Amino acid sequence: MNAKKLGPSAADIQNHLYTSFLEGSTADVALCVDGTWHAIYNLHRVVLIQSGLTLAQGFFRSLFTAGFAESTPRIGSGAGPEEIVVHFDDPNITRAAFEVCISRLYGGGPMLDIDPSLTPTFSQPLTPSFPYELPPHKVPSDHHPATPRFLLSLLATAVYLSIPSLASQALSSVLSTIGPHTVLKYLNFAIGRHIGQLDRASGEPEAAVGLEYVARLIEHEQSISDAVSTRTDSSIGDYQTRTEDAADSTTSTSSISLEALEEYETEGVAKQLSYHYGVISDKIGEACACWLARWGADMLQFEEKQTAQKERSIQSTQKHSRSVPSESVATTAAKSEEYRVPLIWSRGGLSAKWAAAIISADTFFIRGERERYDFARRVVELRRQHGIIASEEEEWIKLFDHGLYYSNMNMDDLIYISRDISPTTNRPFVPLSTIQASQWMQSLLRHHITVRPGFSRSQSGPAPSPSPRDKELGVARTTADIVMGVVNSESKVYFPVPENSSVRIGDNGSDFIGNSDGSSLFIDQLFSSTTSPSPSSPTLDSATITVANTALATEAEFFGLRPSIHTASSAIASDPRGKSQWSPYPPCRFAVEFWDLDSLKEKSRLYSHTIWYAGSMFNTYVQVARKKGQMQLGIYLHRQSSIEPIPPSSAPAPSNVLWKDSPHSHSRGSGSLSSTPPPLMQNTSHRPSSTHLPPRSMTPTSGVPSTSPLGSMSSSLSSPPSTSSSSSALPATSPPVAPLQPYRDPRPSISAYFIITCASVTGSSQIRFASSPDVFAVSQSWGWKSGSMTEEYMDVRAEKTTSTSDTSQSKYPSLRATVILGLV
């Protein structure tokens, strides 16, 4: 018997249901929505309850099976579908997003169209249109424009209605479109702010495209809320049908749902309602924080250029307004307005509190501590141009007092900073007492390094040979030590000594697209398998990078940007076990950048610039190695010998400069942005669960064999083989520059901890490698290999093709990494 004759196919049933939805026919429930819009939808219970099939409880499943429908009065009398009232107090739930959510339950609805100029790519990491105005984009007539505002609303609505497949798709779209034009909008959403009002000028429709007539709109005066005589709170599982007055803040929601009545204070703004979606908000906030850490310094450069451009345009307009026809003046103004850079650092962009947090973050991509000070100064003066606000000045005081580590600057820099006066306030940026205190800490550290206990300089003869303990300075303290001296040490600050770990932070949306079989990931799958990174064992060989979700940083930690600095009380509170180690000396923070990694030959080293810290010189390098047929990119910290030549550092090749000096020196959307290495990498001074790491070798020229990777996110910590750098045209290098060395550490081996954080190409995620204190002999290197970095920064697919593409120009931008380094 032919199976087709048994009855309608699944596609026929789906088409029938969707047609019934469009026509509102044979409905058994009239869903009466009272929110930012007021409408009635004729729907079908059997379709709606599927939204909760993959979760323990869902919005509609609970609504129709937990007794809430029976307690809700009807709007009118007579035959027809039963009328159920749903109040949405969350203004982020909009009509278009709601209608798309409902249509997806019926297996239909419009396709979503995301403007390609909002999506960053490997070759154009700041989006194709940047730094120009977004070009016009024509949306297909049967597609719904997925603007950033709509994507956030779709995410909020899908989470509230328990439609996890759609929530994961919306989350993926948000994460994959983080860029200059969207990062602050998404960050504001993550910290609980409203998505804003509908912008009709942008072409975003109020109703979902193709679903304009599924709703029966009603006037607000005759709305659902007036027809309901009795209002009660109806808790639906982990979610709620909110029917009380919006001013009543006694009702709470789940961690994945809406916290509709949490309030927060914003700078210069009255108290507003906060809308937080638990771990999903934190995930978006974390990705935005990663993006700002990578691209924040670049964005200031463009903002300053735009400000200067506008000033020149105004002066030119005023100068020629009497002699030039009005049409020409308008044309000149239009040309100047074509260069559009969204405000990030200027007033109207980040709040002062967030600006200070980013500048002081350990992962903020800036060359060194002196460059960090210069950057902070530029931001503060840029904002002061528009007036001085007392609340902002309080943030600047904390930034310059605690956000910069002056003890890691040389004396010339400290003298300069002590004399640096703000042209706006006529006061120094940094109090002299702060500089003096940092100089005292610097002198103490030098004393620990250069003066050996039990040896007097007046003694004749050579200094005694160092004991194994001489590798450690003895400056680290455990939490238990701090507890014992807490009465006398509360005014001190402490910096955590990390444990071994490898973790990925943030995301570009790829993890939320779907499973290998093509099905979408669900909310419970997104977050149920994630665990907090725990200390890793140094005795095991396997290593994986963990995607940190459950341990997501929250707004209180600026989504991971808050620098690791503690008072005695906060250090004790953060370590109930009392076993963590702390240092009273701030670590050295510096940034490195590597270009043309796809041209790097196997086992060749590509070095960064060399820095000096605490009596030793250090640099980092990257190296490519092959393990069981898989290419792995490694990044290593290297203690540079003072008698060996300083290696040349990576530099952009002339044919591969991502940054061009003039914004008009290239075609629109080419991705070229600024001058040769951007200012953040120029020296402005006067001259993921736990990762099991393999045992480490103290031999500087022979390393531990790399471990077997576990998937594309595998990594290993090892001492790499010592090889000479390639002399090919690419990767390009710049002449070596030796840093100033105020003094030298006489010890042949030292104990140091370090953290290397590698930003993704587009910037919305990071891979963070942390190492507990380990021994660095002269010319010793320690670091990690990672398959995930290889996939992102190197064109491994080129090996599988016979394409004769031009190899003189890299297809990818540079690898940016920040390094934290401290001695114990």
Side-chain angles (χ1 to χ4, degrees), residues 172-284:
S172 173
S173 298
V174 168
L175 295 174
S176 63
T177 53
I178 295 177
H181 296 282
T182 60
V183 63
L184 288 194
K185 180 180 289 291
Y186 292 162
L187 179 62
N188 285 334
F189 175 85
I191 63 178
R193 296 186 184 178
H194 180 219
I195 61 175
Q197 300 301 319
L198 179 69
D199 183 11
R200 297 184 185 275
S202 66
E204 182 180 349
E206 180 178 1
V209 171
L211 304 177
E212 294 85 356
Y213 303 106
V214 298
R216 178 163 62 89
L217 299 178
I218 56 179
E219 297 294 334
H220 182 61
E221 290 76 9
Q222 302 174 346
S223 67
I224 300 157
S225 58
D226 295 326
V228 179
S229 58
T230 304
R231 296 187 170 212
T232 58
D233 291 345
S234 302
S235 298
I236 305 175
D238 288 338
Y239 303 89
Q240 295 185 344
T241 303
R242 300 295 305 280
T243 58
E244 81 285 0
D245 190 293
D248 183 3
S249 60
T250 59
T251 308
S252 62
T253 57
S254 72
S255 61
I256 302 181
S257 179
L258 167 68
E259 296 176 0
L261 297 174
E262 178 187 354
E263 295 184 347
Y264 65 94
E265 187 73 30
T266 59
E267 288 184 304
V269 183
K271 286 186 177 181
Q272 303 177 9
L273 294 178
S274 178
Y275 305 92
H276 192 262
Y277 304 88
V279 71
I280 291 179
S281 292
D282 294 340
K283 187 69 177 178
I284 295 173

Side-chain angles (χ1 to χ4, degrees), residues 447-527:
H447 179 80
H448 278 293
I449 292 172
T450 59
V451 178
R452 297 178 187 170
F455 178 72
S456 173
R457 293 184 181 274
S458 62
Q459 292 179 252
S460 60
S465 299
S467 66
R469 290 290 298 172
D470 285 343
K471 299 171 185 176
E472 297 184 2
L473 296 175
V475 299
R477 298 287 182 268
T478 65
T479 307
D481 295 332
I482 299 176
V483 171
M484 294 177 62
V486 68
V487 176
N488 299 322
S489 62
E490 183 58 33
S491 61
K492 296 182 180 180
V493 294
Y494 297 90
F495 302 87
V497 177
E499 297 178 326
N500 298 327
S501 66
S502 298
V503 64
R504 191 179 66 192
I505 302 168
D507 203 278
N508 61 5
S510 59
D511 284 342
F512 302 91
I513 295 176
N515 293 316
S516 58
D517 60 358
S519 60
S520 298
L521 295 173
F522 296 113
I523 288 179
D524 54 343
Q525 293 174 311
L526 292 177
F527 307 110

Side-chain angles (χ1 to χ4, degrees), residues 489-793:
S489 62
E490 183 58 33
S491 61
K492 296 182 180 180
V493 294
Y494 297 90
F495 302 87
V497 177
E499 297 178 326
N500 298 327
S501 66
S502 298
V503 64
R504 191 179 66 192
I505 302 168
D507 203 278
N508 61 5
S510 59
D511 284 342
F512 302 91
I513 295 176
N515 293 316
S516 58
D517 60 358
S519 60
S520 298
L521 295 173
F522 296 113
I523 288 179
D524 54 343
Q525 293 174 311
L526 292 177
F527 307 110
S528 62
S529 61
T530 58
T531 56
S532 174
S534 58
S536 56
S537 168
T539 61
L540 300 179
D541 292 338
S542 61
T544 56
I545 297 176
T546 299
V547 181
N549 287 325
T550 300
L552 287 176
T554 63
E555 181 189 354
E557 291 83 35
F558 296 96
F559 301 113
L561 292 179
R562 184 184 293 279
S564 299
I565 179 171
H566 293 259
T567 61
S569 57
S570 64
I572 295 171
S574 66
D575 179 31
R577 300 180 304 161
K579 296 182 179 180
S580 294
Q581 286 188 304
W582 308 85
S583 172
Y585 299 101
C588 175
R589 304 185 294 188
F590 64 100
V592 297
E593 192 163 15
F594 301 96
W595 284 268
D596 301 304
L597 297 185
D598 54 321
S599 301
L600 184 62
K601 293 183 178 180
E602 186 175 354
K603 296 184 179 180
S604 295
R605 294 183 179 184
L606 182 61
Y607 283 87
S608 71
H609 66 284
T610 300
I611 63 106
W612 177 91
Y613 167 67
S616 299
M617 291 189 296
F618 295 90
N619 48 46
T620 60
Y621 65 85
V622 291
Q623 190 177 50
V624 178
R626 187 181 297 275
K627 180 67 175 180
K628 295 183 179 180
Q630 181 188 25
M631 296 297 291
Q632 288 188 320
L633 178 64
I635 185 166
Y636 304 90
L637 178 66
H638 176 71
R639 187 187 181 195
Q640 177 67 36
S641 170
S642 60
I643 61 175
E644 295 178 356
I646 302 295
S649 59
S650 177
S655 61
N656 184 35
V657 176
L658 181 66
W659 314 88
K660 300 296 183 182
D661 191 28
S662 171
H664 297 286
S665 63
H666 63 286
S667 61
R668 211 182 147 109
S670 67
S672 301
L673 302 173
S674 153
S675 56
T676 60
L680 63 162
M681 285 307 295
Q682 293 175 354
N683 190 350
T684 60
S685 61
H686 292 291
R687 41 158 230 292
S689 63
S690 63
T691 302
H692 300 300
L693 307 176
R696 308 164 190 188
S697 168
M698 293 189 297
T699 305
T701 57
S702 63
V704 176
S706 59
T707 60
S708 175
L710 300 179
S712 62
M713 292 300 295
S714 67
S715 68
S716 62
L717 174 60
S718 62
S719 182
S722 178
T723 58
S724 60
S725 178
S726 172
S727 59
S728 60
L730 286 179
T733 57
S734 60
V737 178
L740 296 176
Q741 301 181 63
Y743 64 92
R744 292 185 180 179
D745 191 333
R747 299 173 299 163
S749 297
I750 61 176
S751 181
Y753 66 87
F754 61 100
I755 301 173
I756 300 179
T757 302
C758 300
S760 66
V761 170
T762 58
S764 58
S765 65
Q766 301 171 346
I767 300 177
R768 186 172 300 174
F769 306 105
S771 172
S772 60
D774 211 332
V775 174
F776 276 83
V778 176
S779 299
Q780 181 82 37
S781 303
W782 289 115
W784 295 263
K785 298 186 187 79
S786 172
S788 62
M789 288 200 303
T790 308
E791 294 173 1
E792 181 147 7
Y793 289 101

